Amino acid sequence: MSTTVDEMARRTGAMSSAELAGGRESRATVGDVTCANPRMVCRDVDVFYGSTQAIKGVSLDIGKNEVVSMIGPSGCGKSTFLRCLNRMNDTIDGCRVTGSIKLDGQDIYDKGLDPVPLRAQVGMVFQKPNPFPKSIYENVAYGPRIHGLTNSKAELDEVIEGSLQKAGLWNEVKDRLDKPGTGLSGGQQQRLCIARTIAVSPEVILMDEPCSALDPIATAIIEELIDELRANYSIAIVTHSMQQAARVSQRTAYFHLGDLIEVGETNQVFTNPKHRLTEDYITGRFG
Amino acid sequence: MSNSHADGAPPKRTIDVVNASLKRRYARERRFRLVGLTAVILGLTFVGLLFADIIAKGHTAFVQTYIQLPVTFEAETLDPAGTRDPETLARANYQAIIRDALRSEFPDVTDRRGTRALGSMISVGAPSHLRDMVLANPDLVGTTREVWLLADDDIDMLMKGHINRDLPESERRVKDQTVGWIEQLEAQGRIEKRFNTIFFTTGTSREPELAGIAGALMGSFYTLVLTLLISFPIGVGAALYLEEFAPKNRWTDLIEVNINNLAAVPSIVFGLLGLAVFIAIFGVPRSTPLVAALVLSLMTLPTIIIASRAALKSVPPSIREAALGVGASPLQTQMHHVLPLAMPGMLTGTIIGMAQALGETAPLLMIGMIAFIVDIPSGFTSPTTVLPVQIFLWADSPERAFVERTSAAIMVLLAFLILMNLGAVLLRRRFERRW
């Protein structure tokens, strides 16, 4: 894997404590980390890259049919935390996760648990659109095919059409399903990746800055899509855009240097932040 | 600029400083280009000289001198019993009918010495050629036919001008008498150079005019096929494991360093290893494509592993994440996505490794490929030699006619090497991925 421990450690430590405005204050999470109808429950999660601690005791719930956004300055650990939720961090050598992360009551870091079916349940959309260099059809068909979700070609076609429709891409690509996915525009590629993710019918979708490589129009389409997807899935989204977090999410979590500083209803976090660091960040004093 | 000068000179503008140095900078650039161009031209000149020399020496090997004689297939000599039994025909004295044909062509030669000189104009391979003709068509017995017979290598050299007719008789291999006969045949149009099919269809021989590269070519082919079958799967598997699955620790570092070291080991050491391990311990038959392939596989493995790892590294990690993200297992990720994308690079490395193996001589000398083997190999365990070793052997032979054969064999070997490298380039062009 290209991401090494050192690199991740450097990224998470990008912001030294000297840059922080003011002295040390409590890093205990402010606000209610739980939610009424949780799908994923994370408690006291620590993540280490080698000897560097990237995440410090983070607890957070992700509820059914809600969008949780994670914001914070670069290197604050929000992506690292997101990647813990489907064990994508397993691919990084020297990465260690402690604490408990449960999906529907099942600890996903349990020794006996296989990360492969977990990733079918917790799908992921990445920062940079990364369609396979294959046809649009094959891109979406790959997941259902390897998991054996469909029994016939007709059924598979149906799943593909359904996924592309949910991702809002069907009308644009229905006549060229055999064309390479890499030939689409950036926004279309990202929607293709979303279609690929929902084709395996996951329960949770993780999105790691899905719009950072897209123009405002493509971003608007994806945001609309996220809102529609909320009806069927739980979504955790990492974003650098506070406006985006405000637009798409119901709850917002603010990360700072590996700590989860504040969690709350999105409205409350943006209009009435309780922690000074949160306030500094959303008012643009740093970050 | 605000920097004041101590000597009171007016302050210079940056652009003046830049302009002053510009000329020098461009001159340096021109010199560098000139040096590069010279190096390229020099390199190309040497390659050109090499090719010109080889082609100049070797092109004559592709034609061979034949002498036309009216051969009478005497029934009395060949088949006295008249049974047309193939066994009798096969054992008959064809040398005798060639002698008779020569005698009737040059009736004035009667002494023993003259007769022997006459006979030596025709290759020792000619009788078996006549035998094959008769065996293929027994009806020839009792008839007279005009037959083109293969000339001896000395006659061939004379015809190609490698033996100078103007030299005094004592200084050339072909005597005046023979030259006279040749000139007589030339006047009758009974001697001519024809395309040398023997060179491509037979194994080696002590007689230059009967020596061909077919044995060595087939030996190289069998060896290369087996080398590919052994080294490609092992090399790709090793690269895949080391690059994608193995934990990165001191052991894998050690392995990596040693693979790189192995690539730099002199090839003769691999030959000694093959002799000590494959032949002495495992009893693999020597001089066979099997043992050659084992040794060459050891030699090409580092090349393939290093190229394959580089190819795997160049596959963007986002593809792996995408596959893992939809729930593909690590092996599925590799097999379905990473490997197909890395394959062109891997194949390029493999072809380069194979080209290296095709041209390798030293280790094969150690494992008995240097033996004089006339037969064309029929499989992976029949004794054989390979092209570069054949070239080495011919280069060592004293006969003048082997000089052109050596060069011709080099031309064949180079043609295959160029074809393989061209294949590698085309493969890379064809399958290069655009993200």
Side-chain angles (χ1 to χ4, degrees):
Chain A
M1 288 282 128
S2 75
T3 326
T4 62
V5 178
D6 289 345
E7 195 183 330
M8 288 305 272
R10 190 161 40 75
R11 267 158 57 176
T12 49
M15 200 188 202
S16 73
S17 47
E19 286 172 68
L20 298 179
R24 305 271 319 167
E25 49 200 308
S26 171
R27 294 295 165 84
T29 308
V30 176
D32 188 9
V33 299
T34 62
C35 70
N37 210 352
R39 177 133 253 173
M40 296 197 87
V41 179
C42 312
R43 289 292 174 268
D44 304 316
V45 176
D46 291 317
V47 181
F48 299 87
Y49 291 122
S51 56
T52 317
Q53 187 167 10
I55 298 278
K56 299 162 192 166
V58 170
S59 299
L60 184 64
D61 286 3
I62 295 161
K64 287 194 174 104
N65 304 333
E66 75 163 353
V67 178
V68 178
S69 64
M70 302 176 190
I71 57 170
S74 288
C76 67
K78 51 196 190 308
S79 286
T80 298
F81 179 69
L82 193 74
R83 289 169 66 94
C84 289
L85 300 180
N86 69 345
R87 292 187 58 177
M88 278 307 269
N89 279 338
D90 288 13
T91 59
I92 299 167
D93 284 324
C95 177
R96 198 156 48 82
V97 180
T98 61
S100 91
I101 302 176
K102 287 185 175 151
L103 172 66
D104 295 333
Q106 165 73 45
D107 191 340
I108 65 169
Y109 278 89
D110 196 49
K111 275 260 182 297
L113 191 116
D114 184 357
V116 168
L118 169 73
R119 292 186 193 129
Q121 285 174 289
V122 183
M124 189 155 188
V125 177
F126 298 88
Q127 182 171 0
K128 199 175 143 249
N130 55 355
F132 300 128
K134 298 182 177 187
S135 71
I136 294 168
Y137 184 93
E138 286 301 321
N139 261 286
V140 186
Y142 184 68
R145 209 172 262 162
I146 55 169
H147 295 301
L149 298 182
T150 53
N151 297 317
S152 65
K153 174 91 167 72
E155 215 178 314
L156 183 62
D157 287 349
E158 215 170 280
V159 168
I160 287 164
E161 182 175 343
S163 306
L164 285 169
Q165 250 158 5
K166 274 190 222 162
L169 194 60
W170 176 250
N171 288 330
E172 292 160 59
V173 301
K174 63 181 177 209
D175 302 323
R176 46 174 177 147
L177 290 174
D178 55 337
K179 294 284 183 306
T182 42
L184 297 172
S185 75
Q188 288 174 324
Q189 285 190 16
Q190 195 60 298
R191 277 181 283 153
L192 177 62
C193 293
I194 292 173
R196 181 176 65 191
T197 305
I198 56 186
V200 290
S201 326
E203 282 145 38
V204 181
I205 299 176
L206 311 176
M207 296 186 173
D208 190 355
E209 299 181 38
C211 301
S212 66
L214 305 182
D215 67 55
I217 294 167
T219 302
I221 296 171
I222 302 260
E223 282 178 8
E224 210 172 295
L225 175 61
I226 292 170
D227 206 47
E228 284 164 23
L229 291 174
R230 185 162 66 91
N232 299 311
Y233 308 97
S234 303
I235 296 172
I237 178 170
V238 165
T239 177
H240 266 299
S241 152
M242 281 177 275
Q243 290 84 348
Q244 183 171 66
R247 282 192 298 262
V248 301
S249 68
Q250 281 70 56
R251 287 200 303 146
T252 298
Y254 172 67
F255 284 76
H256 188 92
L257 282 179
D259 291 298
L260 178 55
I261 300 296
E262 181 163 355
V263 186
E265 297 293 321
T266 299
N267 250 335
Q268 173 259 311
V269 172
F270 280 100
T271 53
N272 186 20
K274 291 178 181 147
H275 198 287
R276 198 187 52 79
L277 284 170
T278 319
E279 192 183 345
D280 285 353
Y281 183 69
I282 61 171
T283 52
R285 224 162 289 165
F286 71 86
Chain B
M1 301 277 299
S2 60
N3 55 330
S4 57
H5 290 249
D7 55 358
K12 272 187 170 176
R13 286 165 60 221
T14 313
I15 190 69
D16 296 328
V17 180
V18 170
N19 281 336
S21 72
L22 211 53
K23 214 177 137 193
R24 217 175 49 242
R25 276 154 61 186
Y26 280 142
R28 185 177 293 169
E29 202 142 308
R30 269 195 304 276
R31 274 201 303 280
F32 184 78
R33 280 189 198 185
L34 204 67
V35 168
L37 199 65
T38 317
V40 170
I41 290 173
L42 214 63
L44 283 180
T45 312
F46 281 120
V47 171
L49 280 176
L50 176 81
F51 273 79
D53 179 57
I54 290 170
I55 291 171
K57 275 194 189 138
H59 76 280
T60 48
F62 295 113
V63 289
Q64 188 67 32
T65 307
Y66 283 80
I67 294 172
Q68 193 190 36
L69 288 178
V71 176
T72 308
F73 295 91
E74 289 275 7
E76 259 169 61
T77 323
L78 300 179
D79 189 17
T83 54
R84 301 289 188 270
D85 174 28
E87 207 150 306
T88 322
L89 290 176
R91 267 196 242 136
N93 185 359
Y94 292 93
Q95 187 72 51
I97 61 171
I98 291 176
R99 202 168 48 226
D100 293 344
L102 282 166
R103 228 177 247 153
S104 61
E105 192 67 20
F106 302 99
D108 46 335
V109 182
T110 47
D111 59 321
R112 267 185 67 188
R113 203 186 230 172
T115 319
R116 196 181 296 155
L118 259 186
S120 72
M121 278 170 46
I122 303 295
S123 164
V124 295
S128 57
H129 172 60
L130 289 181
R131 185 191 63 208
D132 293 344
M133 279 176 73
V134 171
L135 286 178
N137 181 14
D139 295 340
L140 281 175
V141 176
T143 62
T144 302
R145 296 285 168 97
E146 293 287 338
V147 182
W148 284 99
L149 291 170
L150 184 62
D152 188 63
D153 60 309
D154 283 338
I155 307 303
D156 186 45
M157 288 298 103
L158 185 80
M159 288 296 290
K160 288 172 182 168
H162 294 311
I163 292 175
N164 192 348
R165 297 184 196 193
D166 302 330
L167 282 174
E169 188 180 13
S170 59
E171 282 175 33
R172 67 178 127 82
R173 278 178 67 86
V174 184
K175 301 300 164 211
D176 283 345
Q177 189 185 26
T178 314
V179 173
W181 294 332
I182 300 284
E183 274 160 5
Q184 186 184 334
L185 286 169
E186 271 176 328
Q188 293 169 347
R190 282 178 171 276
I191 186 163
E192 68 177 38
K193 284 177 277 187
R194 316 177 124 203
F195 181 70
N196 191 357
T197 47
I198 290 173
F199 184 69
F200 294 101
T201 54
T202 65
T204 186
S205 168
R206 296 269 181 239
E207 302 299 326
E209 73 274 16
L210 295 174
I213 54 166
L217 213 54
M218 283 314 284
S220 276
F221 172 75
Y222 282 126
T223 306
L224 224 54
V225 166
L226 211 52
T227 308
L228 183 70
L229 288 180
I230 296 170
S231 59
F232 184 66
I234 297 179
V236 169
L240 202 55
Y241 177 74
L242 284 173
E243 195 58 38
E244 305 286 346
F245 294 101
K248 303 275 175 288
N249 58 26
R250 208 173 300 170
W251 289 110
T252 42
D253 283 349
L254 194 73
I255 291 172
E256 180 162 3
V257 168
N258 278 302
I259 287 172
N260 292 335
N261 282 341
L262 220 53
V265 168
S267 57
I268 193 139
V269 175
F270 287 105
L272 288 167
L273 182 84
L275 181 65
V277 176
F278 297 133
I279 295 178
I281 297 179
F282 294 110
V284 181
R286 65 181 63 211
S287 307
T288 56
L290 179 61
V291 67
L294 288 171
V295 168
L296 292 175
S297 295
L298 284 182
M299 224 192 63
T300 47
L301 263 178
T303 313
I304 295 179
I305 292 176
I306 291 168
S308 298
R309 290 188 72 171
L312 286 171
K313 266 194 197 115
S314 71
V315 176
S318 65
I319 294 296
R320 296 180 179 87
E321 288 192 326
L324 289 173
V326 293
S329 70
L331 190 66
Q332 283 175 325
T333 304
Q334 298 302 329
M335 290 299 165
H336 297 164
H337 300 288
V338 179
L339 211 54
L341 293 175
M343 203 39 94
M346 290 178 164
L347 287 178
T348 307
T350 306
I351 292 177
I352 289 167
M354 289 298 114
Q356 213 182 345
L358 176 61
E360 200 53 70
T361 322
L364 303 182
L365 302 182
M366 291 288 113
I367 51 169
M369 305 300 273
I370 196 162
F372 180 81
I373 291 151
V374 177
D375 291 332
I376 295 172
S378 56
F380 295 115
T381 51
S382 50
T384 183
T385 187
V386 291
L387 259 183
V389 178
Q390 188 66 73
I391 291 166
F392 175 77
L393 285 170
W394 281 351
D396 222 22
S397 300
E399 286 90 346
R400 179 64 184 78
F402 272 125
V403 174
E404 60 173 28
R405 274 174 175 70
T406 307
S407 294
I410 291 172
M411 280 157 75
V412 173
L413 181 62
L414 283 179
F416 276 106
L417 288 176
I418 290 170
L419 273 180
M420 286 174 83
N421 286 329
L422 205 67
V425 171
L426 288 179
L427 211 65
R428 206 164 34 208
R429 288 258 176 84
R430 172 77 182 75
F431 291 106
E432 216 158 43
R433 281 285 168 187
R434 297 150 295 267
W435 310 105

